[in-house]
């Protein structure tokens, strides 16, 4: 089936609603720019963010275009197993990082003036090499993560206007660049508050629209069982989710977030531990309700909008809204989906710019650079990375969900040096560096699809990748990669020189 035959563009209404939404985002950016006078304000909001802003921004960052388009598409393909794979991990994706590393990072951030994850790692391990490595690899995986969000924006734009996807990609990217370049993390977090609330409303409305289109939950479930009983139980309609995949996904989305550079930055923005506790409760409630409902839409859509195949499945949520509600209301809800991507892109942009301007330029290349100089450079770098993300979105090398899974794993491998650095004094710089290098070199061929490897010029790894995947025992590539990285880090740390007592006292005293 050609999805274009199912689209009924409402160009005027869509442009009016989305234009108003974009204008509000831009105005917040300009307001934030007036309040952002220092480097610390640009990167961590001065470490003064309160519970409401932190909580909504926390879960809005976790929400991405994958939550609203990629995962519903996976649920559309597999049925209820897709829903059970995603939701438990997302619900705990805020609680576990907060409990395991949040309190310590907030304390260290305020005491030592850390503004990025590389700040923490470079200081904890007394290693400029690790600082630079973290910044470079972070950017390498963040660009496709940003690109995946913008791809979703392009799909939505095409769905509701009939214009090419690249037009939506460019428009969305430019708006995010404006408010991030102007207001830094303040602009990102304040827009996240509006975007997060809009996402919750969109999830609730879309769920009930899909339920009504399918004739109610009982009728939909009966039809699903009639179509294919595998829609109702693991391993899913195509057998993609046996128990190792279930375990992998839950662990990935919950535990491995402790290595996410964007969440580390969110901890550094929080005023204190009490703020974090309230923020986690608020954010978890928002995540639980909206993630469950919007991903359930993918299952309901099997009956509500049958016949989608391949990349067309990414259209399931926009199509349900377009078919089920008026153009004005649909456009408002679609703004909620756009918000899911924008709220992730903005945090990624600010953190990526910090990786280059602060972690590499200021801390490694020019230690005498003033904060004002770094602030100007950060805004330029933000613009450059935004343009690169736009180009990636136009390129669109693979499905949204595949790109995000690949990028997420590459970013969260850093759970190894973060976790060991916070809890094991004996972890050394050499152990952290070799553990990360081993993990990344193993992860890329293990996780990337043949299409992605070909697209990024690593086609020679396709055969190696196929061989290595035979040793993962059905688990996601991140799980065995992390186990190997942990083993390497621990073994090397046991035989290499530890960091100084002064550093240990700062971090463990």
């Amino acid at each position: 089936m050609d999805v274009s035959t199912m689209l009924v563009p409402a160009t005027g209404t869509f442009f009016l609603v989305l234009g108003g939404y974009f204008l509000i985002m831009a105005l917040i950016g300009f307001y934030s720019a007036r309040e952002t006078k220092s480097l610390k304000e640009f990167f961590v909001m001065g470490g003064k963010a309160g519970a409401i802003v932190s909580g909504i921004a926390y879960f809005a960052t976790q929400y991405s275009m994958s939550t609203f388009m990629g995962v519903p598409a996976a649920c559309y393909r597999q049925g209820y197993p897709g829903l059970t794979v995603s939701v438990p991990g997302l619900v705990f994706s805020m609680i576990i990082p907060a409990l395991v590393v949040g309190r310590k990072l907030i304390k260290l951030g305020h005491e030592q003036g850390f503004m990025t994850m590389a700040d923490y790692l470079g200081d904890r391990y007394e290693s400029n090499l690790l600082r630079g490595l973290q910044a470079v690899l972070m950017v390498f995986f963040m660009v496709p993560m940003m690109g995946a969000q913008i791809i979703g924006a392009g799909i939505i734009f095409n769905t509701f206007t009939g214009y090419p996807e690249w037009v939506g990609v460019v428009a969305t990217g430019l708006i995010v660049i404006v408010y991030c370049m102007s207001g830094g993390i303040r602009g990102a977090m304040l827009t996240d508050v509006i975007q997060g609330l809009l996402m919750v409303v969109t999830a609730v409305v879309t769920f009930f629209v899909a339920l009504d289109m399918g004739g109610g939950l009982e009728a939909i479930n009966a039809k699903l069982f009639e179509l294919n009983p595998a829609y109702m139980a693991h391993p899913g309609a195509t057998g993609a989710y046996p128990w190792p995949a279930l375990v992998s996904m839950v662990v990935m989305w919950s535990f491995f977030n402790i290595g996410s550079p964007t969440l580390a930055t969110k901890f550094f923005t929080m005023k204190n531990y009490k703020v974090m506790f309230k923020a986690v409760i608020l954010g978890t409630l928002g995540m639980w309700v909206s993630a469950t409902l919007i991903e359930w839409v993918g299952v309901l859509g099997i009956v509500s909008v049958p016949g989608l195949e391949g990349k067309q499945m990414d259209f399931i949520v926009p199509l349900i809204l377009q078919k089920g509600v008026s153009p004005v209301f649909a456009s408002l809800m679609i703004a909620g989906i756009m918000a899911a991507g924008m709220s992730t892109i903005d945090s990624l942009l600010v953190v990526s710019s910090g990786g280059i301007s602060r972690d590499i330029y200021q801390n490694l290349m020019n230690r005498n650079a003033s904060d004002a100089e770094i602030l100007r450079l950060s805004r330029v770098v933000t613009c450059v990375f935004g343009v690169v993300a736009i180009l990636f979105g136009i390129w669109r090398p693979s499905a949204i969900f595949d790109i995000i899974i690949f990028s997420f794993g590459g970013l969260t491998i850093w759970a190894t040096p973060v976790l060991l650095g916070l809890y094991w004094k004996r972890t050394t710089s050499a152990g952290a560096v070799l553990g990360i290098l081993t993990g990344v070199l193993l992860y890329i061929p293990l996780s990337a699809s043949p299409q992605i490897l070909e697209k990024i010029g690593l086609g020679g790894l396709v055969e190696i990748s196929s061989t290595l995947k035979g040793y993962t025992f059905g688990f996601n590539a991140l799980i065995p990669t992390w186990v190997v990285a942990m083993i390497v880090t621990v073994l090397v740390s046991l035989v290499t020189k530890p960091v100084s007592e002064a550093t240990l006292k700062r971090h463990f005293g």
Side-chain angles (χ1 to χ4, degrees):
M1 177 185 295
D2 184 1
V3 75
S4 63
T5 62
M6 304 172 67
L7 303 177
V8 183
T11 308
T13 303
F14 181 77
F15 277 143
L16 182 64
V17 173
L18 200 64
Y21 171 70
F22 278 173
L23 179 61
I24 293 171
M25 299 298 102
L27 290 175
I28 290 175
F30 287 123
Y31 162 77
S32 301
R34 295 197 309 176
E35 302 295 319
T36 303
K37 307 298 183 184
S38 68
L39 195 63
K40 190 171 183 180
E41 284 285 340
F42 187 86
F43 284 126
V44 293
M45 209 172 168
K48 299 176 182 178
I52 293 177
V53 171
S54 297
I56 298 178
Y58 196 171
F59 99 76
T61 297
Q62 286 296 92
Y63 250 149
S64 70
M65 200 61 78
S66 175
T67 314
F68 270 86
M69 298 186 72
V71 180
C75 293
Y76 185 95
R77 183 182 300 111
Q78 302 298 336
Y80 278 103
L83 186 65
T84 61
V85 161
S86 175
V87 170
L90 286 173
V91 169
F92 288 100
S93 64
M94 298 176 65
I95 297 173
I96 291 178
L99 293 177
V100 176
V101 303
R103 185 172 187 173
K104 289 177 176 286
L105 288 179
I106 290 173
K107 180 174 182 291
L108 288 168
H110 283 283
E111 290 178 353
Q112 308 299 330
F114 297 152
M115 289 187 271
T116 65
M117 180 180 281
D119 275 348
Y120 163 72
L121 292 171
D123 188 79
R124 165 61 180 86
Y125 292 105
E126 300 175 343
S127 173
N128 284 334
L129 174 59
L130 190 63
R131 184 192 297 272
L133 187 64
Q134 200 277 334
V136 170
L137 290 176
M138 176 184 67
V139 170
F140 176 81
F141 286 106
M142 276 191 175
V143 167
M145 179 70 88
M146 287 187 283
Q149 315 307 318
I150 296 182
I151 289 169
I155 290 173
I156 290 170
F157 203 83
N158 172 257
T159 304
F160 278 80
T161 68
Y163 285 99
E165 290 181 15
W166 69 266
V167 178
V169 167
V170 173
T172 305
L174 290 178
I175 292 297
V176 177
I177 288 171
V178 166
Y179 70 73
C180 286
M181 186 173 64
S182 303
I185 197 67
R186 182 185 296 274
M189 290 182 71
L190 291 181
T191 54
D192 282 355
V193 172
I194 295 176
Q195 291 163 343
L197 294 173
L198 190 54
M199 282 185 261
V200 173
V201 174
T202 300
V204 173
V205 170
T206 310
F207 173 77
F208 284 105
V209 169
L211 204 60
D212 181 67
M213 288 174 62
L217 186 58
E218 185 176 350
I220 290 173
N221 286 340
K223 182 64 174 178
L224 288 173
F225 188 80
E226 178 186 336
L227 290 171
N228 186 352
Y231 281 135
M232 311 299 290
H234 287 277
T238 69
Y241 294 132
W243 73 265
L246 171 62
V247 171
S248 295
M249 291 294 182
V250 173
V251 172
M252 275 178 61
W253 298 123
S254 55
F255 173 77
F256 282 103
N257 261 304
I258 66 177
S260 169
T262 55
L263 291 190
T265 300
K266 288 294 192 298
F267 288 132
F268 294 146
T269 67
M270 294 178 184
K271 192 179 299 183
N272 52 46
Y273 181 68
K274 289 182 179 179
V275 165
M276 185 196 76
F277 181 77
K278 295 174 183 176
V280 167
I281 293 175
L282 177 62
T284 297
L285 286 174
M287 177 71 79
W288 175 61
V289 171
S290 42
T292 300
L293 295 183
I294 199 64
E295 293 171 13
W296 202 341
V297 167
V299 180
L300 305 179
I302 300 170
V303 174
S304 303
V305 186
L308 300 181
E309 299 176 353
K311 291 183 180 180
Q312 295 175 352
M313 296 179 189
D314 284 339
F315 287 79
I316 182 59
V317 172
L319 281 170
I320 284 175
L321 284 172
Q322 191 184 70
K323 284 174 170 290
V325 298
S326 69
V328 173
F329 203 61
S331 297
L332 284 170
M333 297 301 99
I334 285 302
I337 304 179
M338 301 284 277
M342 293 172 73
S343 64
T344 301
I345 298 168
D346 54 28
S347 293
L348 294 172
L349 262 183
V350 174
V351 174
S352 296
S353 68
I356 300 299
S357 59
R358 176 172 173 79
D359 298 325
I360 293 180
Y361 181 75
Q362 186 179 41
N363 289 322
L364 299 181
M365 298 173 63
N366 184 6
R367 290 187 174 275
N368 295 321
S370 66
D371 282 359
E373 181 183 350
I374 299 305
L375 184 57
R376 289 193 297 272
L377 178 61
S378 296
R379 285 177 167 143
V380 172
V381 173
T382 298
C383 182
V384 170
F385 278 138
V387 172
V388 172
I390 289 172
L391 295 175
F392 187 95
I394 295 172
W395 181 35
R396 194 182 180 187
S398 187
I400 294 173
F401 190 64
D402 293 337
I403 296 171
I404 289 177
I405 287 289
F406 172 73
S407 302
F408 178 84
L411 289 170
T412 55
I413 287 175
W414 290 92
T416 302
V418 170
L419 189 65
L420 291 176
L422 288 171
Y423 289 99
W424 190 38
K425 295 181 179 181
R426 190 65 181 78
T427 318
T428 68
S429 172
V433 169
L434 288 175
I436 281 297
L437 286 175
T438 302
V440 171
L441 292 175
L442 181 61
Y443 177 76
I444 291 176
L446 265 181
S447 62
S449 66
Q451 292 84 357
I452 290 180
L453 290 173
E454 293 284 355
K455 289 274 188 178
I456 62 177
L458 297 176
L461 292 179
V462 171
E463 187 174 343
I464 296 174
S465 171
S466 178
T467 301
L468 289 174
K469 286 176 181 176
Y471 296 96
T472 62
F473 305 104
F475 289 96
N476 181 274
L478 182 58
I479 308 295
T481 296
W482 181 73
V483 171
V484 172
M486 286 287 285
I487 292 172
V488 170
T489 303
V490 170
L491 292 179
V492 174
S493 293
L494 290 174
V495 297
T496 52
K497 183 181 178 181
V499 300
S500 67
E501 285 297 323
T503 293
L504 291 177
K505 185 175 181 180
R506 282 201 313 277
H507 284 260
F508 292 91

